[in-house]
Structure formats: structure tokens, C-alpha cells
Amino acid sequence: MKRYLIPVVTMLSVSALSCNSPKGEVVIPADKAVEAKVEQVLKGMTLEEKAGQLVQLSIMVLQDETNEALDPAKLDKIIGQYKVGSILNVMNDHAHSREHTAQMVKDIQAKSMETIGIPCIYGLDMIHGASYLTDGSFYPQEINLAATFNRTYARMMGHAMAYETRAAQVPWVFSPVMDLGRDPRWPRIWESFGEDPYLQAEMAREETLALQDKDPNHIGLENVAVSIKHFMGYGVPVSGKDRTPAIIAPNDLREKFFAPFLECFRAGALTIMVNSASVNGIPTHANSVLLTGWVKEELGWDGMVVTDWADIDNLYTRDHVAADKREAVKMGINAGIDMIMDPYDPECCNVIVDLAKSGEIPMSRIDDAVRRVLRLKVRLGLFENPTWEKEYPMFGSEAFASESFDAACESEVLLKNEDGILPFKGTEKILVTGPNANSLRTLNGGWSYTWQGSADDYVPQYNTILEALQQRFPGKVSYEPGVLYDQTPMLWQNEDASGIAKAVAAAYKADVIVACVGENTYCETPGNMDDLNLSANQKQLVRALAATGKPIVLILNEGRPRLIGDIEPLAKAVVDIMLPSNFGGDALATLLSGERNFSGKLPFTYSKHINALHTYDYKVSEHRETMEGSYNYDAIMDVQWPFGHGLSYTTFAYDNLKVDKPEFGPEDVLKVSVEVTNTGNVSGKEAVLVYSSDLVASLIPDVKRLRAFDKVNLVPGEKHVVTFEIPASRLAFVGADGKWRLEEGDFRISCGGLGVMVHCNQTKVWNTPNI
Ligand code: BGC
């Protein structure tokens, strides 16, 4: 295996080295002043200084023995001697106040300016707000923002995140995450915007623009550089386990997985972080076709590529495509890596120096990588302002909190509501139960104060579901957990089910049961598991509660859709709140009381059976209703709830779906309109989703694809004509030859159960990536 792989990787690297210049569009226009500054700094640098710019270390290498402060001797060594150009993460995996973080960054910058004369760039994983600050703001996780189908919330979160990160003197976030969450077993789908490329691309672009603003050459003091991640194909490991190999058809890689990245490159994304694993046998960190070919050459992108955590080491310790560190560093940098997140070993700097001296990494590649790092620092204004004196009065503000609450309300998805059991009348005696009922940690998920998530330790002032329901329905709420999670980090799967009998006894005294089940928090590899089913203990709790005959409202607080096919029939109502963050309990209580209406829709397919994990854009042959051409009659699309499913306390009628032209050419824009009417008794927001189906194509077409969405707010009886402009090129697909194709033939445009046929009158083929 190793023999086979190394020549492939090497061959690609060599070809990439010879042609690292734009071949098509240039996604970020060069700025003369920025480039002049970069060249001026580069000219004066020694090889050792250049190597230092290409290395990023964890803050842990600078910590003193208290794990809370910097050690001056270590600063001397890492910044002074090794001249390391970037630091990431937080001390001892603990969140710190903004003040503490800001002071630490200031100390590092002072050292960097004094000894190297080049500012250090500090990066943090701000995933759903100020993930690592004790006093900042949190928004619902990306999977929830996707469920709102409301671009406003991606913008709001991006804006607040940039502002609060800058307030802590940090100019760079490893966000947004845009790995397509197309396999529910993968433990990171909650970090992304779900399974659909278009939804993912739309939300990620909005977040990127809010984080960086519109001019990537001049990032202001309320904005930060993004690191769009993880480039790419990370979210569909064959095993379902984190950081394991993916096999992706080349056309899908281009058409679906690249789409969100392309959208963000075009919005000016300044850095990318690489997929820690591998695609089609090539570790992404050694994949020059993707890193150099697709991104730096095809898009003329002049930004910076950073590795993921220790992934250069993984080329030899895990993937065995390199024999040792030296070979791995050479392979990675030659493939297109510009900065190595090592993260503990400054010796990496010496390895780079040695490889440059021997010519194994050409000096032109070293200089190109250094330019990219310097360009980022210049664009961020770090040379003029290594640190900055500025007030940030909105930090941790009520305004951000209120946006977060609104986003949570729009993101929680009502999946089932039999006999109109919801909203509650307010007179019911409610038993609140389940391991997720009284936990802030689970409302937030991972990347919340700490890597694995530990909100209860930091922000006890916010309401759990239990506390929010107690406040909303005073005197009506009782509590028995039934099952409890182990609170030890990394032991998130352990459960104590000894309280089930007590919960059942309490259920007899209640009118309705709110059973809060799901998952404890996890992040990355510690979230790997062997069974997507909801845990046996929690299912046992639900069954025991159902035996009392009392109606159950099942609340799912989980990062991925755990299978519940066998217990779902026992519940009258089901709400998937996913990971709505600190105001998720309040949002749920507000929704259950009817004060606000549900409007979230699933951004993923909620599967029902372990051997039938689907996405909504499956192939027609998998669908039982399409008997024609289908010989596999067992391949039924039998899911728990489909992508886009979500109920409301009101009803919406769809009428008059129209496309402005029955026939169109490749350069046309289709104007689609549909009338949506609120036919119920309460106000409600409706996410309007437009799909297309290519009826005959030269590659087996997907049964349908999301092509546009919008959200409308309607009072009872109100009708609104929702309009969309869909460029015909959006209906194209990538063919077997890797080129975009819009083929002559019939398409069905559908929305809200209605459909219209349109005809494309001409085939057009585009070279990639020019769609
Ligand atoms: C994760 C990245 C993260 C990095 C730095 C890695 O383990 O995969 O998403 O940005 O660590 O903390």
C-alpha cells in the first residue's frame, strides 16, 4: 500500500510545483500596497525566520507550571529562538475571560515584535460564538442555524463572533465549518450546516462575509480572518468514525463537497484548514491536486493553507505515506501546505530549514508559503496594530443574547404533534425527565468553554430546559432525571439508569411527560461510537414512561440524529432541539407554551434504520415509488423524517407555483414564484424550499436537489408571493469527465408539494470550476 501511494503523492506534488499560478479566475483581487509590504518584509528575512512563519504551536508550549500564565523562558525559546509565527488554542483547555486572553496575546505580540519584528498571528476555534471565552456570547451551533433556513442568523453569529474575538485581541478564527454532514454516524455533523451543499454554501458564505466583511485586503478591528474547514470531504468517512478515510466519487467531490468552499473563496475567505483524514486513498495534507491545483491555481487564490492538528505527523505516524517527520514535512509543504499546526514541537522549524537548504523543498515554495502567511498578517493590519486599543461595548451584550434566543427559537424543529398536544394549555402538571433535562452542557455541545463542552461549569446563570419550564409554568413542573450522564469529560457515553423507577412513579402523578433525551457532549474523535441508536438506557426510560399511559413529549437534544424508530410511536409529540446553546431551554419553553411558533426544518435526513442511512438527494433507483427502471424493490426510502421536515402550530397552503419560462437556455435565469398562505389560526414563519429534478441525464441524476430557499412570516389568512431567481447554471451537474454540464432535456421544479415542468433547450459544458 505504502509503495503504491508514495509515488502517486510525489507525482502530484511535482506537477503542482511547476505551475502554482492562476489558471482561471482570481478570487481575491491583489492589493498593491499589501503586496509591496509583503515583499519588503520578505526581503529582509533569514531562512530561519521564514521557517518560523510556517509553524504554528499550541499555547500549551508557552504555559508555566500553573497552566494559567505564560512562562517567560518558554517565550524566549519559542518566539525568540525558534521565531514561531503563530499560536493557537487556550491554556490547559480552559476558557478564560476576555481580559485574560487579551493580556496573554499582548504578551506574545510584544515578544514577537521585539525579537522578530513580525507580528504573531493567534487563532482560536470560535465555532458557535466565542467558544473559548467565559464572558462572551454563544449562538446555537451551526446545525441549528441551518435548521432556521434563515441566512440572517449566520450573519448575526458571524458578526458577533468576529467582534468578540477581536475584543480579546485575537484576529483569526477556525470557522466556519462546512463539512457536508451526510453520514449521521460521524461525530461532527453538528458543527456544520447539514447535508445539503447549497444550504451549506449559502450559510457559510453569509458567516464568512460577516466575519471578514467585504474587503479581504483590509480586515477591520471588528472583523477577523476565517479558516474555512475542513478542506475537504472530511464529513463522510466510510467507517462513520472521525478522522478516517473517505471514498468520494470524483464528480461528487467537485459538485457537492467543493461547492461550499468555492462559495466562501469567492466571498474572500483568507485561510483554509485541511481535512485531517484522506479522500480516495490520499491523505488530504499530501494532496497537491486539491490544495494547489483546485484552490491556488484554478481559483488564483492567494490565501493561506493551515494544517489541522498534528496532521503532518499523521502522514507518517498514522497514514504511512511518509517514513518520518522530515519526509512528511516535505510532502505537506510541497503539496501546498503553508502553515504547519505542529502543535507541540518547535523542532519542526529546523526540519523546514534543513529541507530548504537541501533543495527538497524549493526556495520558491518556501517563499510562496511565507508570502501567504505575511499577506494574511498584512491584510489583518497586524503590522500597524499587533495589538489594539479599542472599546468593544457590545461584548457579551444583551443584543447578542437576544439574537441567540431568536435563533434558538427558529432552529428547534417540531417533528410530530399528534392530537395537537402542543402547545401546552398551561394547566397541565408536567413531569420533566431524562438526562438532558437539567444540563447546560448538553444544550451547548462541544466547543463550548472547553473542547468537549462544559457549560455547566462556566455559566450556571443560564436556564436548563427544566429551569426554563419551571419559570414558564410555575408550580406545575416536577423533575426526576430517570437516567443521568457521567460528567467526566471523555466518559460521555456512561449513563446511570438507576432512577427509572422514580421517574415512572412521578409520571403517574403528572398529566404529561416531557422526556429530554439525546446525547451528552462530545467533540471530534471522542464522539465516535458503534451504535447510532439512542442509548439502551434512554430507550428503556421512554418505554417505562409510556407504560404509564401518560402522553409523552419527546425532546431530542443531540448533535446527530440518533435512531429512535422503535420508541417514536410511544410519543405524542417530538421536538428535535439539536444543540441550541445557552438560550435553548428558554426557547423551548417559549415554543412549548405557544408564545412563539415553531419554524425550524431538518437540515438533514433523520434516518430510521441502521442499514438505511440516506440523504435526501438519493438516486431514483432507490425509491420505491419510482417503479420504472427499479429492480430493487426492497430499497425503500423509509426514513424517520425527511430533509426539510418541520411542523408549525399553523398550516400553510402552497398555490400557483410558476416558472417564468417553460423553456430556457444555459445563460438564462429562471424566475420561480409560489403563493404561500397562512391557513391556520396563529402567526408563523415558513421556510420555502425550491427543488429541481433533472429527469434524464448522462450520469444517474439525484432524485432532487435544493436550489433556493427563503423564509416568510405570515399572520393568519395572509398570503405572500415568494419569488426566487435561479440561474440555469445552478441546475448543472459535474459529469464523469469532471466538467460541469447542463444538459438539454426536462427538469421538474418543485416546491411545497407542487411541481412544474420546464425544458432546457441546449446542452452546455463548462470547464471547472467556472460554474
Ligand atoms: C480540529 C479542528 C480544530 C483544531 C484546532 C483539530 O483537532 O479538527 O477543527 O480547528 O483541532 O483546535
Side-chain angles (χ1 to χ4, degrees):
M1 192 59 159
K2 186 176 158 198
R3 277 186 165 193
Y4 167 72
L5 271 175
I6 287 177
V8 172
V9 172
T10 311
M11 185 188 74
L12 297 173
S13 306
V14 170
S15 80
L17 283 176
S18 54
C19 51
N20 186 4
S21 56
K23 282 184 180 159
E25 67 183 286
V26 173
V27 280
I28 304 178
D31 179 286
K32 277 193 184 142
V34 170
E35 296 310 310
K37 176 74 183 170
V38 168
E39 292 309 317
Q40 179 226 320
V41 177
L42 184 75
K43 237 192 296 165
M45 290 172 79
T46 63
L47 177 58
E48 285 68 22
E49 285 170 345
K50 288 179 180 176
Q53 289 302 306
L54 306 189
V55 175
Q56 180 185 55
L57 296 181
S58 157
I59 186 70
M60 284 177 254
V61 299
L62 297 176
Q63 279 174 196
D64 70 6
E65 62 291 343
T66 68
N67 286 335
E68 289 296 318
L70 298 175
D71 180 334
K74 290 181 181 167
L75 262 181
D76 272 343
K77 179 176 158 196
I78 301 296
I79 308 288
Q81 185 188 324
Y82 282 98
K83 307 187 188 310
V84 165
S86 180
I87 299 291
L88 88 153
N89 250 308
V90 288
M91 296 251 188
N92 199 23
D93 194 31
H94 270 86
H96 297 280
S97 68
R98 161 171 63 140
E99 294 297 308
H100 183 104
T101 308
Q103 192 50 54
M104 192 176 68
V105 180
K106 283 180 176 174
D107 292 345
I108 295 171
Q109 285 299 40
K111 189 77 190 174
S112 197
M113 293 313 285
E114 173 199 321
T115 54
I116 323 176
I118 296 175
C120 181
I121 181 163
Y122 203 101
L124 279 180
D125 285 292
M126 300 305 210
I127 302 297
H128 66 123
S131 306
Y132 273 141
L133 300 180
T134 51
D135 41 3
S137 306
F138 273 149
Y139 286 68
Q141 298 276 6
E142 278 187 21
I143 197 71
N144 284 70
L145 298 192
T148 69
F149 281 89
N150 189 341
R151 295 170 181 86
T152 314
Y153 293 118
R155 283 197 289 274
M156 285 176 173
M157 182 170 88
H159 169 244
M161 197 194 288
Y163 184 92
E164 297 195 342
T165 308
R166 270 285 182 176
Q169 299 283 329
V170 175
W172 186 24
V173 294
F174 306 129
S175 213
V177 185
M178 56 190 75
D179 302 306
L180 293 183
R182 293 172 72 80
D183 186 327
R185 298 169 303 162
W186 186 52
R188 300 190 76 169
I189 69 168
W190 51 272
E191 291 182 51
S192 79
F193 293 109
E195 76 183 33
D196 178 62
Y198 178 71
L199 175 59
Q200 186 91 229
E202 289 293 296
M203 300 301 265
R205 182 200 57 225
E206 295 304 309
E207 195 183 328
T208 295
L209 283 169
L211 282 160
Q212 291 195 167
D213 209 358
K214 292 203 176 62
D215 180 359
N217 276 304
H218 304 95
I219 305 287
L221 288 180
E222 293 186 3
N223 293 94
V224 294
V226 299
S227 193
I228 55 179
K229 68 184 190 184
H230 305 80
F231 185 77
M232 82 179 168
Y234 182 34
V236 288
V238 175
S239 70
K241 304 267 168 67
D242 190 39
R243 287 174 150 75
T244 60
I247 302 294
I248 304 175
N251 61 308
D252 269 354
L253 195 62
R254 176 68 82 171
E255 182 184 325
K256 295 183 177 169
F257 291 83
F258 192 47
F261 288 97
L262 182 58
E263 196 67 28
C264 290
F265 283 125
R266 288 177 172 160
L270 287 174
T271 79
I272 59 175
M273 185 185 288
V274 182
N275 166 9
S276 181
S278 61
V279 175
N280 300 341
I282 304 179
T284 326
H285 285 77
N287 195 329
S288 62
V289 167
L290 296 185
L291 300 177
T292 300
W294 286 30
V295 177
K296 293 182 176 175
E297 291 176 359
E298 285 185 13
L299 296 176
W301 182 71
D302 63 2
M304 196 210 50
V305 178
V306 62
T307 72
D308 201 345
W309 189 267
D311 277 316
I312 290 296
D313 286 351
N314 281 332
L315 293 177
Y316 69 100
T317 57
R318 182 192 68 192
D319 291 332
H320 301 266
V321 295
D324 53 23
K325 177 125 184 172
R326 197 169 186 285
E327 198 180 348
V329 170
K330 175 173 126 184
M331 191 176 275
I333 294 183
N334 280 340
I337 299 292
D338 302 311
M339 182 183 278
I340 297 176
M341 185 191 289
D342 198 74
Y344 302 114
D345 184 10
E347 270 306 301
C348 187
C349 300
N350 289 337
V351 177
I352 296 172
V353 168
D354 195 44
L355 285 163
K357 282 186 176 158
S358 72
E360 288 164 90
I361 302 177
M363 213 44 221
S364 55
R365 175 74 267 271
I366 298 278
D367 281 347
D368 174 55
V370 176
R371 275 194 186 92
R372 289 170 185 273
V373 176
L374 294 177
R375 189 177 288 124
L376 174 66
K377 293 181 177 184
V378 176
R379 284 171 161 165
L380 282 165
L382 292 179
F383 280 88
E384 306 93 77
N385 296 307
T387 59
W388 44 93
E389 295 306 321
K390 179 179 162 21
E391 297 293 311
Y392 289 88
M394 295 283 286
F395 184 91
S397 62
E398 280 300 316
F400 291 160
S402 145
E403 289 176 1
S404 173
F405 171 75
D406 288 343
C409 288
E410 277 195 44
S411 74
E412 299 185 355
V413 187
L414 179 62
L415 294 169
K416 176 178 179 181
N417 191 15
E418 265 178 21
D419 306 328
I421 185 171
L422 296 175
F424 290 140
K425 290 170 202 67
T427 49
E428 304 91 336
K429 283 182 281 168
I430 304 169
L431 168 68
V432 177
T433 183
N436 296 63
N438 197 24
S439 164
L440 274 173
R441 172 182 167 138
T442 61
L443 286 180
N444 280 283
W447 297 124
S448 303
Y449 305 99
T450 59
W451 179 44
Q452 295 296 312
S454 41
D456 295 288
D457 300 338
Y458 287 92
V459 284
Q461 70 269 26
Y462 296 118
N463 285 329
T464 63
I465 295 174
L466 171 66
E467 290 160 350
L469 286 171
Q470 282 169 333
Q471 285 178 14
R472 176 68 50 169
F473 303 108
K476 297 285 177 197
V477 174
S478 59
Y479 171 60
E480 275 300 335
V483 173
L484 279 170
Y485 296 124
D486 194 313
Q487 290 307 304
T488 317
M490 307 290 195
L491 288 182
W492 62 274
Q493 301 195 59
N494 285 11
E495 291 173 358
D496 169 9
S498 61
I500 292 181
K502 276 191 184 165
V504 168
Y508 281 110
K509 298 188 202 133
D511 300 316
V512 62
I513 301 162
V514 174
C516 306
V517 299
E519 299 184 316
N520 203 346
T521 63
Y522 54 87
C523 198
E524 302 181 32
T525 309
N528 285 346
M529 58 172 189
D530 292 325
D531 188 351
L532 188 60
N533 275 286
L534 186 71
S535 76
N537 287 334
Q538 295 187 65
K539 285 193 174 181
Q540 190 195 335
L541 171 67
V542 174
R543 282 197 197 94
L545 292 167
T548 66
K550 300 296 170 106
I552 295 177
V553 175
L554 196 63
I555 307 296
L556 305 171
N557 173 202
E558 56 192 16
R560 58 195 148 189
R562 301 291 293 262
L563 304 186
I564 53 163
D566 48 346
I567 58 162
E568 175 272 325
L570 305 178
K572 281 270 179 203
V574 182
V575 182
D576 191 352
I577 65 170
M578 295 168 283
L579 303 174
S581 196
N582 284 328
F583 299 101
D586 299 309
L588 182 66
T590 309
L591 291 161
L592 295 185
S593 74
E595 188 187 308
R596 289 212 189 178
N597 199 347
F598 284 96
S599 69
K601 291 189 173 181
L602 287 179
F604 50 77
T605 305
Y606 206 121
S607 293
K608 193 169 180 180
H609 310 287
I610 192 66
N611 282 5
L613 303 178
H614 293 287
T615 54
Y616 84 93
D617 50 352
Y618 54 88
K619 303 297 178 195
V620 280
S621 58
E622 292 174 84
H623 201 315
R624 189 171 62 161
E625 282 162 31
T626 315
M627 288 301 189
E628 252 175 273
S630 170
Y631 58 88
N632 182 0
Y633 296 106
D634 291 335
I636 303 166
M637 265 306 280
D638 180 20
V639 299
Q640 193 75 58
W641 293 286
F643 174 91
H645 176 71
L647 304 173
S648 161
Y649 292 144
T650 190
T651 46
F652 296 98
Y654 283 72
D655 294 291
N656 268 326
L657 175 65
K658 286 188 194 145
V659 182
D660 65 334
K661 36 183 106 52
E663 201 169 302
F664 63 94
E667 311 304 332
D668 283 335
V669 173
L670 304 181
K671 295 199 171 111
V672 178
S673 62
V674 67
E675 284 174 19
V676 185
T677 310
N678 182 340
T679 48
N681 299 322
V682 291
S683 292
K685 291 186 178 176
E686 171 73 343
V688 181
L689 313 185
V690 180
Y691 297 91
S692 75
S693 306
D694 190 346
L695 299 195
V696 178
S698 58
L699 277 191
I700 303 171
D702 295 331
V703 72
K704 63 177 180 175
R705 292 288 295 277
L706 183 70
R707 300 302 188 190
F709 64 86
D710 204 352
K711 201 158 187 183
V712 287
N713 190 8
L714 300 173
V715 298
E718 187 179 355
K719 180 201 295 184
H720 189 78
V721 180
V722 189
T723 55
F724 302 92
E725 298 208 339
I726 304 178
S729 58
R730 201 179 288 163
L731 309 187
F733 64 96
V734 174
D737 56 1
K739 294 186 176 176
W740 283 95
R741 307 176 63 81
L742 180 66
E743 295 181 345
E744 187 182 345
D746 290 340
F747 287 78
R748 183 170 190 270
I749 304 293
S750 56
C751 179
L754 307 172
V756 170
M757 295 298 295
V758 284
H759 183 78
C760 174
N761 57 22
Q762 192 194 332
T763 295
K764 181 174 173 187
V765 179
W766 292 267
N767 279 327
T768 52
N770 299 323
I771 184 76

